[in-house]
Amino acid sequence: MQRVFVLSSKKHPLMPCHPARARALLREKKASVFKRYPFTIILHDRDSGDVQPVEVKLDPGSKTTGIALNLHGKNGIKTVWAANLNHRGHQISEAITAKAQQRRGRRGRRGRKLPYRQPRFSNRAKPKGWLPPSLLSRVHNCETWLYRLSRAVPITNIAVETVRFDMQIMENPNISGIEYQQGTLLGFELREYLLLRDKHTCQYCGGASGDPVLNVDHKHPRAKGGGNSIKNLAISCLTCNEDKNATLLPQWLIEVKKSKSKLNKARAALLPGIIANKTNTLRDAAAVNATRYKIGAVLKETGLPTTFWSGGRTKKNRTEQGYQKNHWIDAACVGQSGEKVFIPSSLKPLIITATGHGSRQMCRVDKYGFQRTGAKQNSRVHGFKTGDMLVAILPKGKKKGRHIGRVAVRGNGYFNISSNKITVQGISHKHCQIMHCRDGYNYN
């Protein structure tokens, strides 16, 4: 169970408390709810308090970034709050592509018979350090949540997984020879890269075997002259690795085609692509590489002590402590302090999904790029905006009951409220009350 954030009467961050303690304070009228997501209370009669060191840790990824808050207490290091932050880079990329296609269609004479419209100005020059919006959104998401956490928790330092420093040289500058080659991080860096490239999935069966044990396999067996090049390495489950053994891929393909089992059918579908040297795209890995330095620079601007650690160190810490693979768990295990961190089994992460703050497009367009709706009107209706989280209590009628969810406002004052399961339409604004104003994110 996650801790509840606590603010003093002057809105200074205090130590997070247990949910039972927060309920008692609310019941005794000593505190009020300040924010729903992340859940934060504000005390009425305390303007200060004792604090302990709290470290925020991040595991930036191309699609999901793990966030964890580790409390350094008298009894050791403990994770008290965690979240998985889902990015929307692919949505931004698709939106930009659609916008470019519409503009291109309106400027071109051959594809569509439309009036030619010249570009208003030349904006092709890119400043130094420029990142495309789809990548920059990942940086902004990390920056936003670090800022929000720093206002709710007394953070003392930051640890982020970004640059893969060689920790052996940092700990022992005189290390050399076999001692360096077979150090404590032996195999972790290469394996972590392959797992990222192959998306933690067996490349021979696509996960059809259901075997959770993943190995690094040589496509062309070493026993028959295969090398250790990355192009010759692939992630394989233990079942496929043992079945393949030292067999060449073309020969193995002939053997699996003789069987009609579900596993061998999956292998027969994937092996021809592997034989033809068709590898998975490195788009996700490229996104991480392109944003890691930018994220590091943004974190340094906070003024808090910031340290950077390698993915191999994170993997080593997590596997030695027996924790499962997850973004927020990786975040909790980042760095030196992640070697011995206690993660309660009851701790459930907050799932944060970036949704943006709406579209800048004033009018909807048809397939030819011409407007088909009027310009946007006032986005706020009776004090509510689309995306706000509301609670509506209907005293009577077919929709009688309590409804909680995101609202879609209508100019006539009758809104639609959508939860994870259903959408209730036509609820009057008179029965609605705001729980959480829209802030560009969804929570689960």
Side-chain angles (χ1 to χ4, degrees), residues 14 99 241 312 332 418 431:
L14 301 177
K99 178 182 177 181
N241 196 4
S418 301
H431 303 297

Side-chain angles (χ1 to χ4, degrees), residues 12 36 47 62 94 98 117 178 207 271 282 306 314 371 413:
H12 296 315
R36 294 279 179 175
D47 57 4
S62 63
E94 291 174 357
R117 182 175 68 84
I178 297 178
L271 283 176
L282 296 179
T306 306
T314 303
Q371 69 181 55

